[in-house]
Amino acid sequence: MAVSSAALVGLLVVSCAAAAAATRYTVGDGEGWTTGVNYNNWANGKYFKQGDELVFNYQNGAHTVTEVRQSDFDSCNGNNPLSNDNRGSTTIRLSYPGTHYFICTTQGHCSTGMKLAVTVNGDPSYSAGSVPAASAVAAAAAGALVKLALF
């Protein structure tokens, strides 16, 4: 019985580690999402993968985080957004591989450099529900441990 308990604890630890494997990036680090920051430099050298999160911190209502297609990114056009938020703190989960494009649609901000493109690398082990699934596995393992303890 101790061997089974140890195996379940190991499964629990591995499941939690998988959920923790995603990286959370604060866009612009301490400067946040604002004008006057070179977001190309910020993204340079970072390895983004599926499941990672981008956290945009900015003043509520002063900026937007608008995800757009490449052509709209290139022309700073926010009229056809994939998503849009202006609440002051926006978290985007990078759920699919490829390049993701973000702009601020406040007048003049994108054209002066408030835009970010990140290339997301595929992760074969990632699924959109991977974090909740890992939590479910952890809960099931904990329940199994309780059942084992009752025998």
Side-chain angles (χ1 to χ4, degrees):
M1 179 146 42
V3 172
S4 296
S5 296
L8 286 172
V9 169
L11 178 61
L12 177 64
V13 169
V14 168
S15 297
C16 291
T23 301
R24 180 174 262 211
Y25 294 95
T26 300
V27 175
D29 296 322
E31 296 182 71
W33 182 240
T34 190
T35 56
V37 177
N38 186 326
Y39 292 103
N40 289 330
N41 285 348
W42 175 82
N44 190 33
K46 291 179 175 59
Y47 182 83
F48 301 99
K49 64 187 180 313
Q50 283 178 276
D52 286 353
E53 293 180 335
L54 297 178
V55 178
F56 294 81
N57 293 316
Y58 54 99
Q59 184 181 355
N60 184 351
H63 303 292
T64 68
V65 175
T66 306
E67 187 169 6
V68 295
R69 291 173 185 79
Q70 182 179 4
S71 59
D72 291 331
F73 177 84
D74 293 341
S75 63
C76 288
N77 177 6
N79 292 331
N80 303 302
L82 301 174
S83 66
N84 186 53
D85 189 31
N86 68 349
R87 293 175 289 178
S89 181
T90 303
T91 300
I92 304 286
R93 175 164 294 187
L94 302 171
S95 58
Y96 59 90
T99 304
H100 295 247
Y101 301 94
F102 303 94
I103 63 174
C104 177
T105 59
T106 300
Q107 184 66 36
H109 290 190
C110 177
S111 61
T112 59
M114 198 170 169
K115 56 198 291 187
L116 170 67
V118 297
T119 300
V120 178
N121 296 283
D123 179 354
S125 67
Y126 175 80
S127 69
S130 64
V131 172
S135 298
V137 169
L145 285 174
V146 169
K147 287 179 184 174
L148 283 174
L150 294 175
F151 286 104

